[in-house]
Amino acid sequence: MDQLNHTWAQSFILAGFSAPGTLRPLAFLGTLCIYLLTMAGNLFIIVLVRADAGLSTPMYFFIGVLSFLELWYVSTTVPTLLHTWLRGRSAISAVACFIQLYVFHSLGMTEVQFWLAGATWVAGFSAALVPATSLTATLPFCLKEVAHYFCDLAPLMRLACVDTGWHARVHITVIGMINACNLVLILGLYGGILRAVLKLPSAVGRIKAFSTCFSHMTVVALFFGSAFIVYVGSPGSRSEGTDKRIALVYTLLTPFLNPIIYSLRNKEVKEAVRRVAQRIRALLKGC
């Protein structure tokens, strides 16, 4: 790795994944397809919620907010992943690197509390100031190759010229507390939903509701489980490159699953699609 003076770094190198040249185009196309489907699914939900009066409820308002957030969240890291698949090691300016770091963690902290809407945007973007800007961005860097496909906390701290043990402990504390609080709130919410489901008179209704809740909780478990392993677990216990592979779960997989799980499998959404399609056909006939 290139050595730098103990001054402000002008740029970094994103190492990306090590893969044979023959596999890189396939990985690029697979990632691009998932990214485009994720964008299309979330845009579809936003437009549908706005277009159909039957979805003008608080629940679908918050699902629309989640979809809007997902558009930005997935677009924070996937473009640099695509670039490293296509070009290999890729340069990124220090300013762009730290903006990516801050926005990614801000949106990540906001995403898991989407049902609180505006307040969580403020909370998420404020909380991310500590690990992303106040601590990491002020470090002196002696190395410039980031062993990841986007700028993240631990890979950046490994490039510093100083001991970052204290910084790591602060990061773990801040991120761990926020994620733990979010998880407790979400589990409490789903606990209330499950109690309501158990009171349903129909066995078929209970089975359908449990199936939906199980799908939701699976995505929540994937998001939190992978994030806890990377940001709260001990990095010394994992082999090199493991973290960026685990990161694919919360940067690519769960954003892809969210529009499918939260909306597209929903009966009310299917009925809304039917109503909007009928309106479009009526307009076309009128023309």
Side-chain angles (χ1 to χ4, degrees), residues 40 76 118 147 152 171 179-180 201-202 209 217 268 286:
T76 304
D152 207 0
H171 294 160
N179 282 340
S202 168
M217 290 305 296
E268 291 178 337

Side-chain angles (χ1 to χ4, degrees), residues 80-107:
T80 52
L81 172 60
L82 289 169
H83 196 269
T84 57
W85 278 133
L86 198 60
R87 301 292 184 184
R89 297 167 72 249
S90 304
I92 182 171
S93 70
V95 173
C97 181
F98 291 122
I99 289 174
Q100 183 185 49
L101 174 68
Y102 171 63
V103 173
F104 172 73
H105 281 278
S106 298
L107 293 173

Side-chain angles (χ1 to χ4, degrees), residues 15-21 23-32 78-90 149 248 252:
F17 286 99
S18 299
L23 291 180
R24 286 187 173 275
L26 294 175
F28 172 82
L29 288 174
T31 304
L32 180 62
V78 174
T80 52
L81 172 60
L82 289 169
H83 196 269
T84 57
W85 278 133
L86 198 60
R87 301 292 184 184
R89 297 167 72 249
S90 304
Y149 56 87
L248 289 172
L252 191 64

Side-chain angles (χ1 to χ4, degrees), residues 42 45-46 49 59-69 114:
N42 284 295
I45 290 168
I46 293 170
V49 170
M59 183 181 80
Y60 287 104
F61 167 76
F62 290 122
I63 287 177
V65 171
L66 172 65
S67 295
F68 179 75
L69 186 150
F114 72 91

Side-chain angles (χ1 to χ4, degrees), residues 208-224:
K208 288 182 178 179
F210 275 123
S211 174
T212 302
C213 286
F214 179 77
S215 300
H216 292 184
M217 290 305 296
T218 299
V219 176
V220 170
L222 284 171
F223 183 90
F224 277 105

Side-chain angles (χ1 to χ4, degrees), residues 17-242:
F17 286 99
S18 299
T22 53
L23 291 180
R24 286 187 173 275
L26 294 175
F28 172 82
L29 288 174
T31 304
L32 180 62
C33 287
I34 293 173
Y35 176 58
L36 293 176
L37 287 171
T38 302
M39 297 291 286
N42 284 295
L43 281 170
F44 174 77
I45 290 168
I46 293 170
V47 172
L48 187 65
V49 170
R50 296 284 296 174
D52 187 76
L55 300 182
S56 299
T57 64
M59 183 181 80
Y60 287 104
F61 167 76
F62 290 122
I63 287 177
V65 171
L66 172 65
S67 295
F68 179 75
L69 186 150
E70 289 284 15
L71 293 176
W72 293 98
Y73 178 76
V74 74
S75 297
T76 304
T77 57
V78 174
T80 52
L81 172 60
L82 289 169
H83 196 269
T84 57
W85 278 133
L86 198 60
R87 301 292 184 184
R89 297 167 72 249
S90 304
I92 182 171
S93 70
V95 173
C97 181
F98 291 122
I99 289 174
Q100 183 185 49
L101 174 68
Y102 171 63
V103 173
F104 172 73
H105 281 278
S106 298
L107 293 173
M109 292 177 187
T110 304
E111 175 165 357
V112 292
Q113 326 168 56
F114 72 91
W115 46 277
L116 293 177
T120 60
W121 283 78
V122 175
F125 276 79
S126 300
L129 285 170
V130 176
T133 334
S134 302
L135 296 178
T136 309
T138 58
L139 288 170
F141 295 97
C142 289
L143 302 168
K144 65 185 299 183
E145 183 170 305
V146 182
H148 214 303
Y149 56 87
F150 71 96
C151 292
D152 207 0
L153 294 168
L156 280 171
M157 287 194 295
R158 284 195 285 268
L159 310 182
C161 309
V162 296
D163 177 43
T164 58
W166 178 79
H167 298 74
R169 288 191 292 272
V170 173
H171 294 160
I172 290 172
T173 301
V174 172
I175 295 174
M177 286 179 62
I178 290 172
N179 282 340
C181 291
N182 291 338
L183 183 57
V184 169
L185 288 170
I186 290 173
L187 290 176
L189 175 65
Y190 277 102
I193 292 172
L194 289 175
R195 283 195 297 271
V197 168
L198 290 172
K199 295 177 182 178
L200 292 175
S202 168
V204 175
R206 288 196 297 271
I207 291 171
K208 288 182 178 179
F210 275 123
S211 174
T212 302
C213 286
F214 179 77
S215 300
H216 292 184
M217 290 305 296
T218 299
V219 176
V220 170
L222 284 171
F223 183 90
F224 277 105
S226 56
F228 265 94
I229 290 171
V230 172
Y231 296 110
V232 183
S234 173
S237 61
R238 299 186 293 275
S239 60
E240 185 178 354
T242 300

